[in-house]
């Protein structure tokens, strides 16, 4: 179990792990330096276990489906490294430096965790191009709430 501020996140059942996408603590540290970002400890722990996986628990509420939990580094699939510059882009993305992508849905839309001061830990969903005034929609108040609410079909 992964813990954040005394709250435990449930263990997810890994259904599939992509080849060659395991992440080490050293790789996370190097990534943080390269992109001038600091991952929360709970996200580091989550990436070490679930980065680059598909889990049996993938439904959030009735309208969101997690297809993959993103690996850290670029590979043939989507990754945090590939999506991070897009969300930071003001013209193409959300224009927010405080969102970290951690998962995608079956259509490739991203789920983000905020590391911002006012909404730290909140989960956002990519709605760029949909009928919305904002590029992202808040869907959970914390990472733990999101993970603990994931369920099987």
């Amino acid at each position: 179990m992964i813990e954040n501020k005394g709250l435990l996140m449930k263990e997810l059942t890994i259904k599939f792990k992509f080849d060659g996408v395991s992440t080490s603590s050293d790789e996370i540290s190097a990534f943080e330096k390269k992109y001038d970002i600091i991952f929360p400890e709970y996200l580091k722990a989550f990436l070490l276990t679930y980065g680059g996986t598909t889990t049996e628990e993938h439904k959030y509420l009735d309208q969101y489906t997690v297809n993959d939990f993103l690996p850290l580094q670029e590979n043939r699939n989507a990754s945090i490294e590939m999506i991070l510059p897009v969300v930071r882009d003001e013209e193409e993305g959300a224009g927010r430096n405080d969102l970290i992508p951690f998962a995608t849905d079956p259509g490739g839309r991203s789920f983000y965790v905020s590391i911002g001061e006012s909404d730290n830990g909140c989960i956002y969903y990519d709605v760029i191009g949909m009928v919305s005034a904002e590029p992202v929609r808040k869907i959970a108040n914390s990472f733990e709430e999101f993970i603990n609410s994931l369920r099987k079909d």
Side-chain angles (χ1 to χ4, degrees):
M1 294 229 156
I2 298 170
E3 184 177 343
N4 179 33
K5 299 176 192 169
L7 301 173
L8 293 176
M9 284 182 265
K10 71 179 180 183
E11 281 188 45
L12 302 175
T13 309
I14 295 174
K15 191 162 104 177
F16 179 79
K17 185 156 181 84
F18 295 102
D19 291 335
V21 296
S22 60
T23 301
S24 70
S25 295
D26 289 341
E27 288 171 323
I28 292 172
S29 295
F31 187 93
E32 288 176 316
K33 286 178 187 162
K34 180 178 179 180
Y35 290 98
D36 191 28
I37 196 167
I38 298 173
F39 288 115
E41 290 302 317
Y42 65 85
L43 187 57
K44 290 178 188 179
F46 189 85
L47 285 172
L48 292 171
T49 303
Y50 298 107
T53 66
T54 299
T55 62
E56 289 183 15
E57 302 84 0
H58 62 274
K59 293 296 282 182
Y60 179 72
L61 305 176
D62 287 330
Q63 66 196 82
Y64 303 102
T65 301
V66 173
N67 194 55
D68 300 315
F69 288 106
L70 295 169
L72 182 65
Q73 308 273 334
E74 273 193 62
N75 67 8
R76 62 182 177 81
N77 300 301
S79 67
I80 293 172
E81 187 171 34
M82 291 170 67
I83 298 171
L84 189 63
V86 176
V87 73
R88 290 178 165 188
D89 188 302
E90 291 187 21
E91 290 181 25
E92 298 291 323
R96 288 188 56 175
N97 290 329
D98 61 348
L99 295 180
I100 301 173
F102 68 92
T104 56
D105 74 2
R109 291 189 178 277
S110 297
F111 294 88
Y112 304 97
V113 62
S114 174
I115 57 170
E117 287 183 30
S118 65
D119 61 352
N120 194 295
C122 291
I123 303 302
Y124 290 87
Y125 178 69
D126 178 351
V127 292
I128 294 173
M130 297 171 77
V131 181
S132 177
E134 298 295 321
V136 292
R137 176 184 302 143
K138 182 179 170 184
I139 61 170
N141 291 317
S142 71
F143 193 74
E144 297 78 18
E145 174 188 321
F146 181 82
I147 297 302
N148 289 338
S149 297
L150 288 174
R151 60 179 172 70
K152 298 177 184 180
D153 275 331

